[in-house]
Amino acid sequence: MRPSGRDLSEMRTVSIETGFTKHAEGSCLIKIGDTHVLCTATIEDRVPPFIKGSGLGWVTAEYGMLPRATNTRMRREAASGKQGGRTVEIQRLIGRALRAGVDRVALGERQITVDCDVLQADGGTRCASITGGWVALRLAVNKLMKAGDVISDPLVDPVAAVSCGIYAGQPVLDLDYPEDSEAGVDGNFIMTGSGKLIEVQMSAEGSVFSRAQMDQLMELAEKGVSKLVAAQKAATA
């Protein structure tokens, strides 16, 4: 039934390659099917002005897509002089999601910026960015701990995200682009490794959904996030 031939509850193949770039304090290339995202984490001994002097750390994110990440070339946002609304919304989401798994007191008064650059898009780029972003963050924090710059681990729980939706009347896990573009209901589920919810984005387009269907999607999301967290832990072990 699915264009890819996957079962309803089957994820795409997940791959996480760490240390993908030379200079960043933490980096990985995450591949979820044909969606590939480069995630890097940069540590800076400064924080935004609104928390300066508070003793709290900060985690933020930036997101972007290469011009040929999709079927047709997109114009670089730098060429137009501003980011698009979708880009701003996604990078704020990534930052919110990652901060939910961080003890900002333990992090100390420093900032970690996670950059997520989509090399190739086939649906679920924000979810892949959050999942890979956590790996880059984990690697950067490991360096802080190894250097003795932080005493206790500020990362309290892994964070990962997966998409689920209603496609051809059936609940499915981890939508690729052909499914995402045709889904009657589409949702992004951001969760911690312990199964707690951080954020759920769900909307119907040309359809509606029931509470029972939402529960089905939640169950699929829990299964998907569990697999992603296992991949994160294996990559950073």
Side-chain angles (χ1 to χ4, degrees):
M1 185 206 71
R2 304 183 72 173
S4 62
R6 287 182 286 146
D7 292 337
L8 299 179
S9 61
E10 185 180 351
M11 292 274 297
R12 291 173 288 178
T13 301
V14 178
S15 165
I16 303 175
E17 180 183 349
T18 58
F20 194 76
T21 64
K22 176 180 179 179
H23 300 294
E25 283 77 29
S27 70
C28 76
L29 176 67
I30 183 167
K31 298 180 180 179
I32 300 181
D34 285 333
T35 290
H36 302 170
V37 184
L38 171 62
C39 302
T40 58
T42 301
I43 302 169
E44 299 174 283
D45 289 323
R46 65 179 183 87
V47 291
F50 65 89
I51 57 169
K52 191 172 183 179
S54 68
L56 297 174
W58 189 248
V59 175
T60 188
E62 293 189 12
Y63 168 95
M65 297 180 72
L66 295 186
R68 278 314 303 269
T70 55
N71 285 335
T72 57
R73 185 184 187 275
M74 299 178 298
R75 189 184 185 199
R76 293 183 189 272
E77 291 183 322
S80 65
K82 65 176 182 178
Q83 290 180 311
R86 177 181 180 274
T87 297
V88 173
E89 184 264 325
I90 290 176
Q91 65 188 27
R92 286 177 178 170
L93 170 67
I94 298 167
R96 285 197 307 273
L98 296 178
R99 286 194 296 274
V102 177
D103 179 344
R104 291 169 54 206
V105 174
L107 181 59
E109 201 163 313
R110 59 177 54 83
Q111 174 172 287
I112 302 180
T113 301
V114 177
D115 288 291
C116 302
D117 291 287
V118 180
L119 309 183
Q120 182 171 284
D122 187 38
T125 61
R126 72 186 68 195
C127 292
S129 295
I130 291 167
T131 304
W134 178 262
V135 172
L137 181 62
R138 171 76 274 173
L139 295 171
V141 167
N142 286 350
K143 288 195 174 182
L144 285 173
M145 294 178 67
K146 186 176 181 179
D149 293 329
V150 295
I151 299 170
S152 60
D153 189 354
L155 302 189
V156 294
D157 209 355
V159 174
V162 71
S163 64
C164 299
I166 306 293
Y167 174 77
Q170 295 290 329
V172 296
L173 172 64
D174 188 25
L175 283 71
D176 54 24
Y177 180 75
E179 293 170 332
D180 190 29
S181 60
E182 297 290 335
V185 177
D186 182 21
N188 298 304
F189 296 80
I190 305 146
M191 303 173 69
T192 67
S194 58
K196 294 183 174 64
L197 288 168
I198 296 172
E199 190 159 336
V200 176
Q201 300 177 327
M202 283 193 69
S203 60
E205 186 168 341
S207 179
V208 293
F209 59 97
S210 66
R211 172 62 182 270
Q213 287 175 313
M214 183 172 180
D215 290 343
Q216 287 178 311
L217 296 179
M218 273 296 312
E219 289 176 6
L220 287 175
E222 288 172 349
K223 177 179 179 179
V225 166
S226 177
K227 180 173 181 178
L228 291 169
V229 169
Q232 289 174 325
K233 290 180 177 178
T236 56

